């Protein structure tokens, strides 16, 4: 049922992701186009609690489409997990008569939005914004594509030096409990192996694979280590492998937070624009407690509850077998 919302606010929360600014721009301008008063909340849920909520117009979001990070800033807000924090947040929204909320973020953001929406009956729509790509109901989350491109660029550079020195590199990538970044970048960079949180590759299997490469005169090898895999960080794994496989000189690179920064790719600019536009249209159409996502090439709504169900999110496991075969 169509809703007569007057005032809509948008916030970004959790880890920043490239494309968030494109999404903020789309939310603000779509709302204004439909005659709504638009607000930006600074620093995620912390800004709701602190009443750091500012009016925004079409010009507040000029020239941000290409920028990484988030102009609204972001935070991981512990106070919002408490009843007192949520109550204050609700009071501040009520005071400004804000009747619709768009939250851009990952699983922590959606968990907060779900509790908040259920308790205070707020109209809330989530936009999947995280480089981890670990939400169900969207093939891609905002920032994932840019992060992949950033990692690939870095690995290409490491490959140059690895090859020149005949070295074995362990490269650690982000993703928390999700191996999505690791898996896609492994394919795109021709990595010899990849260690994921979702699938177990034993160190024995890894060493067998590296030995096979060395025996067929591979000059360098690259192993991508997803930070959430069960054998630990890249330094630990490199140490364990080195003990049993001395063929190469071994080096470690932790890519870290550079994976979250940078100008969004064309894909993420378009995705951010589509999702922001769809989020406001969904609110106006009377939807709430839903996430807007990209499914195939269409925008689809998924309940926040289903979006958070990691059993529904699919790792592209065919890529794992393919990486193994293509890197012989
Ligand atoms: O969720 C995004 C993410 O970049 C994860 O990949 C990573 O584990 C985490 O955030 C790092 O968080 P922080 O910036 O708080 O250290």
């Amino acid at each position: 049922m169509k809703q007569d919302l007057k005032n809509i606010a948008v916030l970004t929360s959790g880890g920043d992701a490239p494309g968030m600014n494109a999404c903020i721009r789309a939310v603000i301008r779509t709302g204004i186009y439909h005659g709504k008063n638009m607000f930006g909340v600074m620093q995620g849920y912390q800004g709701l609690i602190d009443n750091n909520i500012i009016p925004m117009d079409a010009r507040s979001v000029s020239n941000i489409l290409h920028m990484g990070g988030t102009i609204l800033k972001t935070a991981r807000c512990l106070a919002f997990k408490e009843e007192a924090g949520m109550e204050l947040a609700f009071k501040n929204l009520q005071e400004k008569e804000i009747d619709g909320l768009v939250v851009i973020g990952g699983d922590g953001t959606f968990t907060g939005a779900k509790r908040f929406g259920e308790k205070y009956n707020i109209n809330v729509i989530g936009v999947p914004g995280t480089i981890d790509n670990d939400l169900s109901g969207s093939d891609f989350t905002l920032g994932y594509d840019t992060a992949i491109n950033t990692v690939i660029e870095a690995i290409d550079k490491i490959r140059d030096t690895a090859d020149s020195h005949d070295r074995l590199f362990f490269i650690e990538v982000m993703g928390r409990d999700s191996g999505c970044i690791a898996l896609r970048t492994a394919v795109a960079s021709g990595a010899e192996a990849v260690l994921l949180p979702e699938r177990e590759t034993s160190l024995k299997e890894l060493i067998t694979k590296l030995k096979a490469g060395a025996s067929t005169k591979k000059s360098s090898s690259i192993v991508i280590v997803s930070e959430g895999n069960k054998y630990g960080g890249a330094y630990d794994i490199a140490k364990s492998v080195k003990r049993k496989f001395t063929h190469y000189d071994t080096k470690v690179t932790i890519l870290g937070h550079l994976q979250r920064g940078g100008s969004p790719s064309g894909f993420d600019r378009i995705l951010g624009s589509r999702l922001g536009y769809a989020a406001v249209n969904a609110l106006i159409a009377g939807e709430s407690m839903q996430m807007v996502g990209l499914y195939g090439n269409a925008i689809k709504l998924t309940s926040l509850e289903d979006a958070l169900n990691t059993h529904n999110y699919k790792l592209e496991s065919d890529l794992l077998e393919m990486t193994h075969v293509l890197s012989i």
Side-chain angles (χ1 to χ4, degrees), residues 207-256:
I207 290 168
T208 306
K209 171 79 193 200
L210 293 171
K211 281 187 175 162
S215 72
T216 55
K217 299 199 170 32
K218 255 188 193 282
S219 57
S220 64
S221 280
I222 285 184
V223 177
I224 300 188
V225 177
S226 186
E227 63 176 350
N229 88 91
K230 80 168 242 197
Y231 293 102
Y235 279 105
D236 300 326
I237 293 166
K239 222 189 260 171
S240 312
V241 171
K242 181 80 188 153
R243 260 187 246 126
K244 300 203 164 100
F245 177 63
T246 50
H247 186 88
Y248 292 113
D249 186 15
T250 302
K251 296 282 173 187
V252 173
T253 303
I254 314 273
L255 291 180

Side-chain angles (χ1 to χ4, degrees), residues 15 76 130-132 174-176 227 257 260:
R76 300 192 196 279
T130 165
I131 62 166
D132 300 342
M174 278 186 169
R176 209 185 289 273
E227 63 176 350
H257 284 80
R260 284 228 301 255

Side-chain angles (χ1 to χ4, degrees), residues 182-326:
L183 187 51
R184 283 214 155 204
T185 56
V187 174
S189 64
E192 275 59 37
V194 54
L195 298 180
L196 305 171
E198 298 90 342
R199 300 277 181 283
E200 192 177 333
T201 305
S202 70
L203 292 183
K204 197 165 158 229
E205 280 173 86
L206 175 62
I207 290 168
T208 306
K209 171 79 193 200
L210 293 171
K211 281 187 175 162
S215 72
T216 55
K217 299 199 170 32
K218 255 188 193 282
S219 57
S220 64
S221 280
I222 285 184
V223 177
I224 300 188
V225 177
S226 186
E227 63 176 350
N229 88 91
K230 80 168 242 197
Y231 293 102
Y235 279 105
D236 300 326
I237 293 166
K239 222 189 260 171
S240 312
V241 171
K242 181 80 188 153
R243 260 187 246 126
K244 300 203 164 100
F245 177 63
T246 50
H247 186 88
Y248 292 113
D249 186 15
T250 302
K251 296 282 173 187
V252 173
T253 303
I254 314 273
L255 291 180
H257 284 80
L258 73 81
Q259 294 164 89
R260 284 228 301 255
S263 181
S265 63
F267 182 89
D268 276 328
R269 295 180 197 199
I270 295 163
L271 184 63
S273 304
R274 284 180 87 177
L275 294 179
Y277 173 79
V280 173
N281 285 331
L283 272 177
I284 292 172
E287 297 291 349
S288 182
M289 303 297 284
Q290 306 282 320
M291 177 192 84
V292 286
L294 184 72
Y295 203 72
N297 195 24
I299 299 296
K300 176 190 127 167
L301 293 178
T302 303
S303 70
L304 291 179
E305 180 158 359
D306 285 347
L308 282 166
N309 184 347
T310 47
H311 295 298
N312 293 340
Y313 113 82
K314 285 194 236 79
L315 186 82
E316 299 163 297
S317 24
D318 53 316
L319 298 188
L320 184 58
E321 173 63 14
M322 196 177 85
T323 303
H324 187 66
V325 172
L326 300 188

